[in-house]
Amino acid sequence: MRYEVLTIFPDMVEQAFRTGVTGRASGDGIIELDTVNIREYSTNSYGSIDGYTYGGGAGMLMQCEPVYQAYEEALKRLEEKRTDKEDGSKDCHPVRVIYMTPVGEVFTQKKAKELSKESELIFLCGHYEGIDERVIDEIVTDRISIGDYVLTGGELSALVVMDAVARLIPGVLKNDESAETESFNTGGLLEYPQYTRPDEWHGRKVPEILLSGDHGKVDNYRMQEMRRVTKEIRPDLYRKYMEDRGIY
Ligand code: ADE
């Protein structure tokens, strides 16, 4: 997977991405990250990339041309990195461009799975009050929101999506199992609570059944716990889980 991120804060994206599991995976060459600084494509001598909104309204908008040129640079880099086809020509396929915005479809595990099948993704991070709609219409294929709240920019949300997608790519997680057994891969239920040593801490004991060594009983208990936790914390998910099984 190759990620290209169009941003005015490349350091923020690079630093966060190079930390932890995604950092290790990029060191292992499983995922690659490259950033394009939109500010370098200013069309004026002041180096600004924003302008007032036609029709009035508070705040500034990112202009089309700097965003478009940053996009072209990202495409060029991706194409250069593609290996040549047998006849010596370059593979030339469309690349999905994801605009991170509160005015987008809400990000889900299903979307993460879908995106993890791509070999390249471009993320566009907005700032100020947003981006001129014309460049969005020209280059963007997906508009994604990470939730019903407004952040100061798209960098954190792009990192959220990149992280969720990365961990679904084979080899990124060391234990290949763990991507399958966690929340949202368990038929729509949340994960059960887990415990490690010691078996008593601050007077709180690990549930007896988990110490029993009876795998059948442990599995049943965990399933029961998944239902309980989901019903308590996310009744919406629990309702859907029951409906999917024909229980109303
Ligand atoms: N940029 C600002 N707020 C956002 C959100 N909720 N999701 C994605 N990108 C954003």
Side-chain angles (χ1 to χ4, degrees):
M1 171 67 82
R2 291 202 171 102
Y3 292 141
E4 286 281 345
V5 182
L6 318 180
T7 170
I8 58 167
F9 294 130
D11 291 350
M12 178 180 177
V13 176
E14 300 258 357
Q15 290 218 2
F17 193 80
R18 306 252 177 253
T19 310
V21 173
T22 48
R24 186 187 63 201
S26 67
D28 290 347
I30 306 169
I31 342 168
E32 275 180 40
L33 168 72
D34 210 349
T35 52
V36 184
N37 190 344
I38 300 171
R39 210 176 274 292
E40 285 175 14
Y41 299 90
S42 165
T43 54
N44 58 55
S45 51
Y46 314 107
S48 71
I49 54 159
D50 57 336
Y52 293 105
T53 317
Y54 281 123
M60 309 283 272
L61 279 188
M62 269 186 184
Q63 294 170 304
C64 289
E65 193 56 22
V67 171
Y68 188 69
Q69 286 189 22
Y71 160 74
E72 289 213 299
E73 172 62 22
L75 266 191
K76 196 176 90 194
R77 289 181 191 174
L78 289 175
E79 276 164 16
E80 276 168 8
K81 283 178 192 155
R82 285 180 201 157
T83 47
D84 291 346
K85 289 202 285 195
E86 271 172 27
D87 62 4
S89 67
K90 283 273 179 203
D91 184 9
C92 196
H93 59 78
V95 183
R96 279 168 91 166
V97 179
I98 300 165
Y99 174 37
M100 300 310 306
T101 168
V103 191
E105 72 174 282
V106 176
F107 188 55
T108 58
Q109 189 66 21
K110 182 164 169 255
K111 188 78 178 180
K113 230 178 211 169
E114 178 194 316
L115 295 175
S116 72
K117 310 246 160 42
E118 301 287 331
S119 57
E120 299 163 342
L121 290 171
I122 298 176
F123 290 89
L124 170 58
C125 306
H127 261 271
Y128 316 111
E129 289 306 299
I131 300 179
D132 188 314
E133 193 69 17
R134 292 168 294 181
V135 71
I136 299 172
D137 288 342
E138 182 116 345
I139 67 172
V140 166
T141 58
D142 302 72
R143 300 177 193 229
I144 295 183
S145 164
I146 60 160
D148 292 337
Y149 41 81
V150 182
L151 303 169
T152 56
E155 284 75 13
L156 287 172
S157 50
L159 283 160
V160 165
V161 174
M162 288 194 286
D163 189 287
V165 169
R167 66 186 286 288
L168 298 176
I169 296 167
V172 168
L173 296 181
K174 284 299 168 200
N175 173 2
D176 270 352
E177 258 251 279
S178 43
E180 282 310 310
T181 53
E182 285 165 29
S183 300
F184 299 110
N185 261 319
T186 47
L189 291 176
L190 300 180
E191 206 185 355
Y192 48 80
Q194 300 189 82
Y195 308 87
T196 184
R197 283 186 289 189
D199 58 13
E200 185 172 339
W201 177 82
H202 283 203
R204 296 167 187 270
K205 288 187 174 150
V206 173
E208 201 74 45
I209 216 161
L210 299 178
L211 311 175
S212 70
D214 184 332
H215 295 300
K217 277 192 184 158
V218 168
D219 285 351
N220 279 341
Y221 172 75
R222 285 181 167 163
M223 191 63 204
Q224 219 176 292
E225 282 291 279
M226 279 159 56
R227 290 206 199 95
R228 178 188 65 77
V229 167
T230 311
K231 195 171 176 184
E232 268 175 39
I233 298 174
R234 290 290 303 274
D236 56 325
L237 288 182
Y238 188 71
R239 248 188 321 274
K240 176 148 193 321
Y241 169 81
M242 296 297 267
E243 278 168 20
D244 287 351
R245 278 151 190 79
I247 308 160
Y248 294 92

